[in-house]
Amino acid sequence: MPRELSILGVLIPTILPVFLGCLLLQGVLDRVLSHVGVYRRLWHPALARLCLLVCIVGGATAWLYQ
Amino acid sequence: MAQGSTTSSDLPAWLAAQLRGWAASDGERLIFVARSAFAAFLALWIAFRLGLDSPGTAMTTTFILALPSSGMVLEKAFYRLLGTVVGCGAALLLIALFPQQAPVLLVGLALWVGLCTAGAAMHRNQQSYSFVLAGYTACMIAVPALEHPAGVFAAAVTRTTEVALGVIVAAVVHDVLFPRAHGRQVRRTVQARYDSFLAFCRQVLAGRLTPAQAELAHLRFAADIAALESGRAAAFFETGARGHTRQLHAFNGAFMTALTTFYTLHRLLHRADAASPVPALRVFLDAPLHALLAGSLEELPAALAPAAGTARAALAARTDLTRGAAIDAETAIELAERFALHLAAFDAIYRGLAQDKRQQVSEPQAYAPKTPPGIVLASGARAAFALLAAATLWYWLAWGQLATSLVMTTVFCALASSSPRPTAMVRQVMTGFLIATPLTFATEFLLVIRASDFPMLVLAAVPLFALALWLMTDPKRAGIGIGMAMFSSQFVAPVNLMHYDAVGMANGMLAQIAGVLLAWVIFAVLLPEHTMGNREHVRAALWREAAHACRRRLGDGKRLRHRFDNRVRDLLSQLNAAAGPTPPAPTRAVVREGLTLLELGHAVIDLRLLLAASMGGPVRNALQAALARLADYLRAPVAGANGAAVAALLDAGGAIRAALATGQCEPDRAARLRTALVDLHAIYTSLLDQAADTLDPTGAHHAA
C-alpha cells in the first residue's frame, strides 16, 4: 500500500480513509452489540467500545502494511 | 470501653458517608477538572509530537468540549468536526472565487456567516453548533488569507487537523476516564417527570393548586420536554443507549397529549360556576381517578367506565339543567375518560422504559425545536452586520491585529445568538477574558518561560487552566470559566519554535478583547428585542400556530396534532428559558394565552376531522363557516373578528341542535354530532376567555 493517496492532486495519508472505514465498521458493530445487549454486561462499556475500535484500526493497518 | 468500640465501628461508616457526600458534590467537579486538564495536555503533547503548526487550537478544542457528561462531549465533538469541515470548504470556495478582492470577499463572507447564524438560531440544539462553526471557521480561515491567498489551503488543512485531534482526544478521554453517563441521567429525568406529573395531577384534582401555580407548572413541563429531547440526543452517542430513541420520543409525545387533555379537564372543572352540575360530577369522577392515580394506571380506563356511566345516568335524570350546563357536564365526563386513556398510554410507555423492555412503539414522532422566523432573520442579519462593521473598522484604522478582533466578533455574535440573554452571556465571557489577561501574562512570562521540558510546562500552566475549569463547573460562572479557558489556552500554549514576544502578545490580547466588546455593543444596540424567547415574538408565533391548525393539510390528523402540540410546547419552553426561575406577570399572561390557544387548536383539529368524515348539509355548511371565521380571527385577533367567530359558532351550534332535534339521524351520526357540539363548546369558551377584557360575554347565549 502507498503511504499517501493522491485524490485530485491532493495528497492524503492512506491511513485516513482506512480510519474512516474502520469507524464505519465499528459503528455497525456497535449497533449490533448494543442491540444484543452485550454492553449491559460489561463493567466499562465505553472502554470496551474504544478497545474495539483500536483493535479494528490496528488489525486493518497491520493487514494492509504487512 | 464500650463507648470506644462504638466509635471505632461508627468511624468507617461516618467516613464512607462523608466520602459519598464529597464524591457527589465537589468530587464530581474535581474529577471533571482533572479529566479536562488531562485531555488538554494530552492533545497538546500529541500536537507537539506530530509537529503541528499551532498546537494551541487542539488544546482550545478540548476546553470547548469540556462538558459534564460523556454523551454531551461526544455529541458536541461530532458536530464540531462536521462544522469545521464545512466551514473550511466554504472558506476555500470563497477565496477561490474572489482571490485578493477584499471587499467582495468580505461581503461574501458576511452573507455566509449570516446564513449560518440564522441556521443556528433556527435549530437550537447541538446541530446549531455545527452551523455556528461552519460560519466562523470560514471567517477564521479566509480573513488571514486575504494577505497570503496562497497559504489558504495549508491553513484550512492545519485547522481541520488540529480540531480533529482535539476532538478525538477529548472524546476518548471524556468517554473512558471516569465517565459520567448521560443515559443514566436521562433515565432519572424520565422517572422524575413521571413522578412530578402524577403529583401535579393529584394536587390539581384535590384543588390544592391555584391557577397561577398550575400555569407555572405547565411552563416548567414545557421546559422539561425540551430538556428530555436534548438529553436523549446527547445520550444517543453513548454505548448502548441507542435503542431507547423511539421509546423516548413516544414518551414525550404521550406526555404532551396527556398534559393537554388534563389541562382542558382542569380548566373546565375550575371554570364551572355555582349553577353548573360539574362540581356534583366530581364525586363520581374524582374519587376513582384519585384512587387509581395512587395505584395502577393500566386499569384506569376500565375502572373509570362504570363511574362515567353512573355520572351520565345521573345527568340524564336531572331536568333542571340549562342546555349549557348539561353540555359542560357531558364534556367533563368525556374529557375524564379521554384523560384516563391518555394517562394509561403514558404509563405503559413509562413502564417499558423503566424496566428496560423493548416494546414496539407505533411511529412516534420526534420533538423538533423551532424558533420564530423573526428571531432567526434578526440573528442572521446581526451576525452579517457585525462582520461588516468589524471589517470596516479594520480597513479604516489599518491596525493589523484587528483581523483577530473581526474573527472574535463573528465568533461571539454567532455563539450568543442562540442564547436567550446574549448580552449577559457575552458579558460573562468578557469578564473571563479580562480576568485571564493578567493571569495569562504572569503564567507566560514568570512560569512557562522557565519550563525546560513538557512536564515542567504542564506544571507551569496547570494552575491557570484548573482555575478556569473549576469555574466552568459552577453553573452561575460557567461563562467566565469558558472565556478564561479559551483566552488563556490560545496564548499560553507554546508553538513548536518557542519565542516570547510580550508586545505581540499584548497586541493580540487587546485585539481579542476589542472583538468581544464589539460583539457586546452589537447585541446591545442592534435589534436588542429580537432574542430567543422574546415574549412578543413567542406570542405572535403562538397565534400563528393556532391559525395553522385551522388551515394546514389535515391527513389523518395525527401528524398535524403532534406538530401543533410540539410547536406550542416548544414556544413555551423558549419563553421559560428567557424568563428565568420567576417569570414576571406579562410572561405568565402569554403562558395563559398559549395554553388557551393549545386547547382551542386541539378542538379545531377535532372538528376538522369530523368535518372531513361527514356528508354535506346545513350542519356541514354552518361548521365550515364557523371554522372560516375562526381562522380569520386567529390570523388577525381583534375584538370584531372575535365577535364574528362567536356568532358563527352559535349558528353552527344551533344547526347541530336542530339536526339532533329532528331525531332522524342514525346513531353514529348522532354521536359524531354530539362530539362536534362538545368541540364547539370548547372553542366557544376559549374564545370567551380571550375576549374577557374586550367583549362582554354576558350577552351571548350558550353556544350549544
Side-chain angles (χ1 to χ4, degrees):
Chain A
M1 284 294 279
R3 289 179 72 82
E4 283 184 321
L5 287 179
S6 168
I7 298 174
L8 301 174
V10 178
L11 288 179
I12 284 176
T14 317
I15 201 139
L16 185 65
V18 170
F19 178 68
L20 292 180
C22 290
L23 268 187
L24 269 183
L25 184 64
Q26 201 257 355
V28 173
L29 260 178
D30 193 41
R31 287 221 139 176
V32 172
L33 288 183
S34 65
H35 188 79
V36 174
V38 173
Y39 284 132
R40 252 173 286 158
R41 297 166 183 279
L42 296 177
W43 163 67
H44 196 322
L47 192 59
R49 188 160 73 158
L50 177 68
C51 292
L52 192 66
L53 178 66
V54 171
C55 289
I56 294 173
V57 177
T61 41
W63 177 57
L64 285 172
Y65 290 99
Q66 55 183 312
Chain B
M1 283 314 278
Q3 202 175 8
S5 74
T6 48
T7 337
S8 67
S9 69
D10 279 352
L11 193 63
W14 178 81
L15 258 180
Q18 289 294 314
L19 263 177
R20 259 200 301 281
W22 178 83
S25 57
D26 274 2
E28 188 103 37
R29 295 171 76 184
L30 267 185
I31 287 177
F32 169 79
V33 169
R35 195 169 52 202
S36 309
F38 179 73
F41 286 110
L42 185 64
L44 189 65
W45 184 75
I46 296 178
F48 276 140
R49 289 290 299 191
L50 298 179
L52 299 182
D53 286 333
S54 67
T57 309
M59 198 177 184
T60 312
T61 293
T62 64
F63 282 121
I64 290 172
L65 294 182
L67 294 167
S69 73
S70 66
M72 287 159 94
V73 175
L74 291 175
E75 186 190 24
K76 197 167 183 181
F78 175 73
Y79 287 120
R80 182 167 173 91
L81 202 55
L82 204 69
T84 304
V85 171
V86 173
C88 284
L92 289 182
L93 192 72
L94 279 170
I95 291 276
L97 284 176
F98 318 110
Q100 290 183 308
Q101 288 166 308
V104 194
L105 180 75
L106 283 172
V107 170
L109 209 54
L111 275 180
W112 171 252
V113 168
L115 218 67
C116 287
T117 310
M122 199 148 80
H123 282 84
R124 286 194 303 117
N125 43 20
Q126 285 294 343
Q127 278 156 18
S128 86
Y129 186 63
S130 252
F131 280 92
V132 168
L133 260 175
Y136 77 68
T137 304
C139 188
M140 269 179 176
I141 306 284
V143 168
L146 275 174
E147 285 160 15
H148 335 274
V152 67
F153 188 74
V157 170
T158 309
R159 170 92 190 156
T160 313
T161 317
E162 289 183 10
V163 168
L165 174 65
V167 158
I168 291 174
V169 169
V172 168
V173 169
H174 283 274
D175 197 28
V176 171
L177 219 61
F178 303 108
R180 211 175 101 191
H182 208 78
R184 217 175 303 150
Q185 212 155 316
V186 168
R187 197 166 296 185
R188 266 205 298 274
T189 315
V190 165
Q191 168 82 46
R193 166 95 67 76
Y194 180 80
D195 291 343
S196 65
F197 179 53
L198 288 195
F200 172 69
C201 291
R202 245 173 261 138
Q203 277 181 329
V204 167
L205 285 178
R208 275 199 302 254
L209 282 186
T210 62
Q213 280 170 323
E215 276 154 23
L216 284 186
H218 275 280
L219 199 57
R220 229 166 297 125
F221 279 135
D224 284 351
I225 292 169
L228 181 67
E229 170 55 23
S230 74
R232 182 207 62 75
F236 181 78
F237 286 84
E238 280 175 3
T239 36
R242 212 160 285 184
H244 295 311
T245 303
R246 287 164 69 89
Q247 271 168 290
L248 283 170
H249 280 154
F251 180 79
N252 252 349
F255 177 65
M256 286 196 276
T257 316
L259 194 59
T260 308
T261 322
F262 187 68
Y263 174 73
T264 317
L265 179 63
H266 168 211
R267 211 177 59 107
L268 190 68
L269 293 180
H270 193 81
R271 198 197 302 116
D273 47 10
S276 159
V278 175
L281 285 180
R282 298 181 65 144
V283 183
F284 292 110
L285 296 180
D286 274 10
L289 262 181
H290 210 76
L292 281 161
L293 272 176
S296 102
L297 294 177
E298 278 163 48
E299 297 137 27
L300 185 54
L304 196 62
T310 331
R312 281 215 174 88
L315 196 64
R318 283 181 69 170
T319 49
D320 56 326
L321 291 178
T322 61
R323 211 178 278 119
I327 288 274
D328 254 348
E330 220 165 275
T331 312
I333 297 172
E334 177 163 339
L335 276 173
E337 280 185 309
R338 218 186 281 178
F339 172 62
L341 271 179
H342 291 162
L343 198 60
F346 174 64
D347 178 65
I349 291 168
Y350 165 74
R351 294 211 180 277
L353 268 173
Q355 291 156 14
D356 217 1
K357 202 164 49 182
R358 243 162 243 285
Q359 58 191 129
Q360 216 49 46
V361 189
S362 62
E363 263 190 86
Q365 283 163 34
Y367 174 91
K370 205 144 179 237
T371 315
I375 295 173
V376 170
L377 284 180
S379 342
R382 199 187 289 126
F385 177 81
L387 194 143
L388 287 181
T392 316
L393 274 183
W394 183 31
Y395 256 59
W396 273 357
L397 296 178
W399 180 29
Q401 291 288 341
L402 269 178
T404 325
S405 306
L406 194 162
V407 172
M408 284 323 259
T409 308
T410 315
V411 168
F412 282 101
C413 268
L415 276 180
S417 69
S418 39
S419 146
R421 278 178 293 258
T423 39
M425 179 191 160
V426 175
R427 208 181 310 134
Q428 269 211 347
V429 170
M430 197 154 70
T431 315
F433 272 33
L434 291 177
I435 294 175
T437 307
L439 292 179
T440 306
F441 233 91
T443 305
E444 180 79 352
F445 292 106
L446 294 180
L447 300 172
V448 173
I449 204 164
R450 288 171 206 216
S452 53
D453 52 4
F454 192 74
M456 288 297 132
L457 173 72
V458 172
L459 270 185
V462 90
L464 178 58
F465 293 145
L467 174 64
L469 287 166
W470 179 258
L471 282 178
M472 272 161 85
T473 57
D474 181 353
K476 271 192 202 136
R477 301 192 183 82
I480 300 179
I482 291 168
M484 276 182 72
M486 270 180 81
F487 187 81
S488 50
S489 65
Q490 286 175 65
F491 289 104
V492 165
V495 284
N496 271 332
L497 278 177
M498 198 58 205
H499 63 278
Y500 293 94
D501 173 10
V503 178
M505 194 162 131
N507 253 331
M509 284 177 166
L510 263 182
Q512 292 216 346
I513 293 172
V516 181
L517 193 67
L518 185 60
W520 182 74
V521 168
I522 281 171
F523 269 114
V525 171
L526 200 66
L527 303 171
E529 291 296 307
H530 286 64
T531 50
M532 237 12 112
N534 178 272
R535 210 179 298 134
E536 288 312 309
H537 281 274
V538 168
R539 189 161 170 263
L542 282 169
W543 281 92
R544 255 198 315 277
E545 288 304 331
H548 281 327
C550 292
R551 274 178 296 132
R552 277 261 160 77
R553 208 170 57 79
L554 191 60
D556 65 347
K558 269 194 195 135
R559 231 188 154 64
L560 185 64
R561 199 186 285 277
H562 176 87
R563 201 189 117 95
F564 176 67
D565 231 358
N566 176 151
R567 286 290 161 74
V568 172
R569 302 274 177 217
D570 183 46
L571 286 166
L572 289 181
S573 86
Q574 286 175 47
L575 199 63
N576 179 61
T582 47
T587 303
R588 285 213 304 278
V590 176
V591 175
R592 203 160 39 241
E593 223 171 304
L595 290 173
T596 315
L597 284 170
L598 186 70
E599 191 186 350
L600 199 147
H602 275 286
V604 165
I605 295 172
D606 269 346
L607 210 52
R608 285 183 64 193
L609 281 172
L610 284 172
L611 260 182
S614 72
M615 296 159 296
V619 172
R620 188 188 165 89
N621 292 343
L623 278 179
Q624 252 162 355
L627 272 180
R629 287 291 86 71
L630 199 60
D632 288 344
Y633 167 63
L634 289 172
R635 216 173 308 135
V638 290
N642 187 315
V646 167
L649 283 174
L650 289 175
D651 282 350
I656 292 181
R657 279 204 312 278
L660 278 173
T662 56
Q664 284 166 359
C665 33
E666 54 272 33
D668 60 330
R669 180 169 144 82
R672 273 212 304 275
L673 285 179
R674 250 177 239 117
T675 321
L677 217 49
V678 167
D679 286 329
L680 278 180
H681 182 70
I683 298 173
Y684 173 78
T685 49
S686 311
L687 283 185
L688 286 192
D689 275 6
Q690 276 165 359
D693 44 0
T694 48
L695 287 177
D696 180 19
T698 48
H701 315 286
H702 231 277

